[in-house]
Amino acid sequence: MNDCLALKVTDLDNVATIFANGVKDGAQVDVHDKKGNSEIIKVIGDVPYGHKIAVKPIRKGELIIKYGEEIGAATRDIEKGEYVHVHNLEALRGRGDL
Amino acid sequence: MSYTFQGYRRANGKFGSRNLVAVIPSVICANDVGQAICRQVQGTIGYFHHQGCCQLPIDLKRVTDTLSNLGQSPNVGAALVVSLGCEGTDANRLVDEISAAGKPVEIIRIQELGGTARAIQAGIDAAQRLVQQISGLQRETVDVSEVVMAIKCGASDTTSGMASNCVIGYVADKLVDLGATVVFGETTEFLGGEHILARRAVGGENGPVGQKIYEIVKRMEDRAKAIGEDMRGGQPTPGNIAGGLSSIEEKSLGAIVKSGTRPIQGVLEYTDRIDGQKGLWIKDAPGREPEILTGMAATGAQFMMFSTGRGAPQGFPSMPVIKICGNPNTYERMQHDMDLNAGRIITGEATIEQVGEEAFQEMLKVLSGKMTKNEALGYFGSMDIFCLGPVI
């Protein structure tokens, strides 16, 4: 399936958000940006509607960027196309231990 | 281009989108009497909160201030204060201040009147008089610069920051450019995006407004830390996480989009009112619906524009809430609760500007009397007052 749509907000972002229902492991998604560029990326993991994938490899500890701003850090190495959520991203704000 | 709406002129120079008699219990213990009055008398709404006694003095003042501001808000034409008689709030001050704003006010005291049934009887008589007194008021043409819009997002998902909040941001910018007033809040949801807001402050990031923005965020973050708790697990909410939001930072960066792009004029405390100030303002309030809806109505907003992704159905007794839904799947499922479908931005069927213009036109209709979906459904009981200290 080549019609799955994902949106990357800024050039700095290393994640994109998938707006399609039922995207399964191995699916090809078409990642668009606001300038009209697009890239086909193969998804690793099942990704629910509105959830994110990495658009480039992200190392453990590296910042995860969306809207051109940091939204957390990777808790392990993340491959390009891999599902990114609370299992491999941790917030850096609003916590008592930092 | 000039825009107008049909509003109710108030004695204090403000304009309302509704003309209601507010039944105001001065304390939670008076709620049942107030509810009985509202059930019986057409044209009334009740401010049924859970505060008003056995609180620290700072909170008792805060509750009195908030109830007074609600009574003075432009959508209220007259008020009936329902006092028990032994509460910690100042029921007489409520009467004096709402009356000074030029509104007819009456008060009943449950203990003095001889109990529940007698108080209900007296309250029904009083509320009936007030409704008859104000209900003949006619709407008149009002310039859009008199609009005070409150904005909020709730039950967010990742569509909120990419569609519905963008629509509200469009309307916010347009209103500010037309000389109107816009108020946003949800300080918890500035965490991770406060630097962006501080840079938009009048006087810049290092000026007093910019520094105040950093201060209120730190205050909110420290409040969670002070009781030895991690905010994660509470924010983002389980629903936010199920909707794809992975961290408070991601939620915040999407949330602040709804404030648009114009300069931030200042920070209002929870009990501060808008009294003629124009432009974009922050209200320091948490994001939970009952407390921020109450805070925004008490600020003097005539309506709220509310963005959602997962589907938040609630409203407020005296303030119409226009729901802008960013998630096309949710809109499909919950269109009887959602006023506008911004999910068409996600699917590529419409632009932010197109849905933004629709939202602006819908706003003018709602200000002129059109009921929002939550109003028509009678889903408008989300009210409570944001207090600081414990119940004692």
Side-chain angles (χ1 to χ4, degrees), chain A residues 5 7 9 17 19 21 48-52 66-67 69-72 84-86 89-98, chain B residues 158-159 161-162 191-192 194-196 221 225 230-232 241-250 253-254 327-329 346:
Chain A
L5 177 69
L7 297 173
V9 188
T17 310
F19 292 111
N21 292 308
Y49 186 96
H51 290 230
K52 296 176 290 298
K66 181 184 170 186
Y67 301 107
E69 302 283 340
E70 55 185 76
I71 61 166
V84 176
H85 199 24
V86 290
L89 177 159
E90 67 174 1
L92 300 173
R93 296 294 306 278
R95 42 194 287 183
D97 60 339
L98 287 180
Chain B
T158 51
T159 65
M162 292 194 186
L191 259 79
E194 65 266 57
H195 56 292
I196 299 170
E221 200 170 10
K225 288 181 183 174
D230 192 320
M231 200 177 282
R232 291 172 302 177
I241 292 170
L245 293 169
S246 307
S247 66
I248 184 65
E249 296 96 305
E250 184 181 7
L253 290 163
N327 185 320
N329 298 329
I346 298 288

Side-chain angles (χ1 to χ4, degrees), chain B residues 46-311:
Chain B
Y47 290 131
F48 302 120
H49 60 96
H50 300 92
Q51 313 295 341
C53 206
C54 302
Q55 296 181 271
L56 298 174
I58 190 176
D59 279 334
L60 291 171
K61 177 177 185 302
R62 199 175 169 90
V63 173
T64 307
D65 286 344
T66 302
L67 294 174
S68 173
N69 288 342
L70 286 170
Q72 296 176 59
S73 64
N75 292 357
V76 169
L80 171 64
V81 176
V82 183
S83 162
L84 177 59
C86 56
E87 61 270 30
T89 49
D90 187 344
N92 291 328
R93 177 154 77 83
L94 290 180
V95 173
D96 292 345
E97 290 178 356
I98 299 168
S99 181
K103 301 180 201 257
V105 188
E106 297 204 29
I107 183 167
I108 55 167
R109 295 182 174 87
I110 298 168
Q111 290 167 347
E112 205 175 286
L113 284 163
T116 305
R118 287 173 187 163
I120 291 170
Q121 162 91 61
I124 287 171
D125 290 346
Q128 181 192 30
R129 274 194 300 276
L130 292 168
V131 166
Q132 289 224 282
Q133 192 175 340
I134 68 163
S135 55
L137 186 64
Q138 299 297 300
R139 289 181 182 268
E140 55 186 89
T141 302
V142 183
D143 188 76
V144 74
S145 62
E146 298 291 344
V147 169
V148 180
M149 173 172 79
I151 56 184
K152 152 148 190 69
C153 53
S156 298
D157 66 16
T158 51
T159 65
S160 302
M162 292 194 186
S164 44
N165 286 340
C166 308
V167 167
I168 297 184
Y170 175 92
V171 176
D173 282 354
K174 182 161 178 158
L175 279 174
V176 169
D177 294 346
L178 288 164
T181 308
V182 178
V183 187
F184 73 110
E186 302 175 271
T187 310
T188 326
E189 288 150 48
F190 296 173
L191 259 79
E194 65 266 57
H195 56 292
I196 299 170
L197 297 175
R199 286 177 204 146
R200 277 171 54 201
V202 167
E205 189 174 13
N206 295 318
V209 177
Q211 289 299 303
K212 182 77 179 173
I213 292 170
Y214 283 116
E215 183 193 319
I216 60 171
V217 173
K218 185 172 183 311
R219 201 158 69 181
M220 193 68 80
E221 200 170 10
D222 285 350
R223 191 173 302 148
K225 288 181 183 174
I227 51 169
E229 275 275 5
D230 192 320
M231 200 177 282
R232 291 172 302 177
Q235 284 281 12
T237 66
N240 295 149
I241 292 170
L245 293 169
S246 307
S247 66
I248 184 65
E249 296 96 305
E250 184 181 7
K251 181 174 176 175
S252 297
L253 290 163
I256 63 174
V257 169
K258 68 183 181 293
S259 69
T261 61
R262 298 299 183 256
I264 296 165
Q265 304 295 322
V267 176
L268 303 166
E269 296 291 342
Y270 190 73
T271 54
D272 288 344
R273 276 197 315 264
I274 285 289
D275 284 316
Q277 307 98 308
K278 302 296 184 183
L280 178 66
W281 292 77
I282 287 173
K283 163 134 288 204
D284 182 24
R288 195 169 73 164
E289 279 75 8
E291 287 84 357
I292 191 165
L293 267 62
T294 303
M296 288 299 194
T299 299
Q302 298 125 338
F303 81 107
M304 172 178 274
M305 209 167 268
F306 187 129
S307 150
T308 187
R310 305 207 28 102

Side-chain angles (χ1 to χ4, degrees), chain A residues 11 21 43 48 53 55 79 88 91:
Chain A
D11 291 343
N21 292 308
V43 169
I53 57 165
V55 296
E79 288 181 59
N88 54 12

Side-chain angles (χ1 to χ4, degrees), chain A residues 54-72:
Chain A
V55 296
K56 55 183 79 160
I58 305 170
R59 288 185 184 284
K60 181 179 176 178
E62 203 179 318
L63 292 175
I64 295 176
I65 308 292
K66 181 184 170 186
Y67 301 107
E69 302 283 340
E70 55 185 76
I71 61 166

